[in-house]
Amino acid sequence: AQSVTQLGSHVSVSEGALVLLRCNYSSSVPPYLFWYVQYPNQGLQLLLKYTTGATLVKGINGFEAEFKKSETSFHLTKPSAHMSDAAEYFCAVSESGGSNYKLTFGKGTLLTVNP
Amino acid sequence: DGGITQSPKYLFRKEGQNVTLSCEQNLNHDAMYWYRQDPGQGLRLIYYSQIVNDFQKGDIAEGYSVSREKKESFPLTVTSAQKNPTAFYLCASGLAGGFYEQFFGPGTRLTVL
């Protein structure tokens, strides 16, 4: 079974600073990878996804992530943090069992942005 | 507008009572999913369905039941057998048959008193 590890359950940055949220995965097949964001008491919203092709993926709100197969990583970055980026972020990897497809999520990283 | 609705937003029940959480989507998705979210635990899959009248257990199905009689609807029943039902429950939907992203509803927060 696939697994996802998000290093750091809580990351704190200053407004305007670089945001780096780490995600490592284990997968026996080429993975499809996703980053979601969740604001308090809301559902999850897709930020970006990697399927095939270009390893640097751009998403919404200025976020991007780079798929590195050799490091089994899919870290999320944003050059300059904004107060509105404060939320919880989840990395997910796809897996299949026969004809059934599902996502496995990491435990999440709570991002705090300080003024 | 297309989307996923979950109702109610907040739900309170007494211990020992069954409760059913609603999930409806008008995105024409074949696949639907139920997750449970607890602080620091991420999302854990309860049940999922790739097609009407068929569903599979996820990682934590014990104490839960589902039905999929219509493409648009995937209700989740939390039974009295679920030992710790207080949690935030999220429903999602997506295309079936491949590694597609999932679209999430706003969630239902269940508190068992």
Side-chain angles (χ1 to χ4, degrees):
Chain A
Q2 270 78 318
S3 66
V4 176
T5 301
Q6 291 185 239
L7 293 175
S9 59
H10 187 193
V11 170
S12 182
V13 301
S14 299
E15 191 173 17
L18 171 71
V19 175
L20 171 60
L21 305 182
R22 300 177 186 273
C23 173
N24 289 88
Y25 67 91
S26 70
S27 175
S28 58
V29 297
Y32 284 40
L33 295 157
F34 306 82
W35 274 101
Y36 284 86
V37 61
Q38 183 182 34
Y39 298 99
N41 293 312
Q42 295 185 24
L44 276 67
Q45 179 184 5
L46 182 68
L47 274 177
L48 50 79
K49 62 181 178 181
Y50 169 78
T51 54
T52 58
T55 57
L56 182 63
V57 181
K58 295 186 183 299
I60 62 172
N61 301 338
F63 284 93
E64 62 183 35
E66 186 172 11
F67 170 60
K68 292 187 176 181
K69 184 178 179 180
S70 61
E71 299 177 8
T72 61
S73 69
F74 191 54
H75 301 331
L76 182 70
T77 60
K78 182 174 181 178
S80 177
H82 191 271
M83 296 296 289
S84 62
D85 295 326
E88 191 157 22
Y89 293 80
F90 293 92
C91 181
V93 63
S94 58
E95 63 175 296
S96 68
S99 59
N100 296 317
Y101 296 84
K102 55 183 179 177
L103 296 180
T104 297
F105 286 84
K107 293 190 175 182
T109 298
L110 181 64
L111 176 66
T112 302
V113 182
N114 303 308
Chain B
D1 290 336
I4 302 174
T5 57
Q6 292 186 243
S7 60
K9 179 68 174 176
Y10 297 95
L11 189 56
F12 297 88
R13 280 294 183 268
K14 292 183 178 179
E15 192 172 342
Q17 290 182 333
N18 291 356
V19 60
T20 297
L21 281 60
S22 169
C23 177
E24 303 277 334
Q25 55 97 1
N26 61 5
L27 299 169
N28 201 33
H29 288 159
D30 285 306
M32 297 187 74
Y33 307 82
W34 272 108
Y35 294 91
R36 171 179 172 142
Q37 186 177 21
D38 298 281
Q41 295 292 316
L43 277 70
R44 293 183 289 171
L45 184 63
I46 305 173
Y47 269 97
Y48 62 109
S49 169
Q50 304 280 295
I51 195 170
V52 174
N53 292 323
D54 189 37
F55 48 83
Q56 289 74 40
K57 292 182 178 180
D59 301 318
I60 57 165
E62 185 175 353
Y64 300 97
S65 66
V66 295
S67 63
R68 187 81 188 279
E69 297 177 359
K70 298 188 300 182
K71 186 176 184 177
E72 307 79 34
S73 178
F74 192 40
L76 173 73
T77 296
V78 184
T79 76
S80 56
Q82 169 51 233
K83 295 179 180 178
N84 185 19
T86 295
F88 190 52
Y89 290 87
L90 287 160
C91 179
S93 72
L95 299 175
F99 298 117
Y100 303 106
E101 65 265 34
Q102 294 175 15
F103 297 81
F104 284 80
T108 292
R109 186 166 298 280
L110 173 64
T111 302
V112 176
L113 307 172

